[in-house]
Amino acid sequence: MTRFWSILVALMLVLAGCGSSEFGPGSVTGLLERAPLALSGEQVTLKQAQVDCGVQNELWDPPADNVAKLTQKGRDLQFSDDVRLNDPDIRVPFTQVNGSFPVQVSQVLKLRDGDAGTKLADVKLAVVINHECFNSPLPVMGIRKGKFSPDAPVVFQLKGAGNEWSLDKLVH
């Protein structure tokens, strides 16, 4: 029986070495999620329940003329602009964040070569805000045709080679 376990362990070690060491979508996710990400002036979308909760918790004032004015409590959570509602181009409530946030990648849509020594990653990204109103992460809007869009991915430029890649910048 000892011989069986020795062979099984050896086989598992061999199979573990057969995994791909290529930089791919899982690597991008790990790179972006491993530490809080600095975001400056990025637009995030909100659900109506999050808007309502924000009003109840005094993160912003009740909406008036399709705008909910941000309060100091909201600024303390690193929101940096009023909540906008009923924008005909965006169609969902949104606001802006500014600071370092844990993020969650829901999908790496595309990973492609960029200029020398770079790769571009199109991702569906959301920021995690530690507050009872935000029990789900807030999706970050990408840019399509020069405008923020909740349907557009966020584009990151990565630099490196082989398996040694680092985040260079958010490109959109």
Side-chain angles (χ1 to χ4, degrees):
M1 192 63 156
T2 309
R3 180 180 157 114
F4 169 77
W5 287 110
S6 299
I7 293 171
L8 184 60
V9 168
L11 181 60
M12 289 173 68
L13 290 172
V14 168
L15 291 175
C18 292
S20 173
S21 60
E22 189 174 312
F23 186 81
S27 304
V28 172
T29 298
L31 181 64
L32 295 175
E33 290 181 348
R34 77 172 163 212
L37 192 60
L39 299 173
S40 178
E42 296 303 318
Q43 304 290 331
V44 296
T45 63
L46 301 164
K47 296 175 184 169
Q48 187 60 49
Q50 293 169 323
V51 173
D52 296 341
C53 185
V55 170
Q56 292 169 355
N57 283 270
E58 300 175 345
L59 303 180
W60 38 77
D61 295 334
D65 296 323
N66 296 323
V67 175
K69 297 280 186 190
L70 192 62
T71 67
Q72 186 58 49
K73 282 185 178 180
R75 290 187 195 290
D76 292 345
L77 291 174
Q78 300 184 79
F79 290 105
S80 59
D81 198 6
D82 299 332
V83 175
R84 308 288 174 181
L85 300 107
N86 302 317
D87 182 291
D89 292 330
I90 297 184
R91 305 171 315 279
V92 295
F94 67 98
T95 187
Q96 190 175 65
V97 294
N98 201 26
S100 290
F101 299 90
V103 297
Q104 184 177 62
V105 176
S106 60
Q107 187 177 11
V108 177
L109 300 168
K110 190 187 299 184
L111 181 60
R112 62 197 183 281
D113 291 331
D115 295 334
T118 68
K119 287 188 181 287
L120 297 173
D122 297 12
V123 302
K124 290 288 187 176
L125 185 80
V127 298
V128 177
I129 296 181
N130 187 18
H131 187 277
E132 67 185 82
C133 289
F134 312 109
N135 54 6
S136 61
L138 305 180
V140 178
M141 287 194 269
I143 293 184
R144 179 173 288 131
K145 296 181 182 177
K147 293 184 176 184
F148 281 103
S149 170
D151 302 322
V154 179
V155 180
F156 288 96
Q157 181 172 294
L158 312 168
K159 62 181 177 181
N163 284 334
E164 299 298 319
W165 290 87
S166 62
L167 177 61
D168 187 24
K169 61 184 174 180
L170 191 148
V171 183
H172 278 287

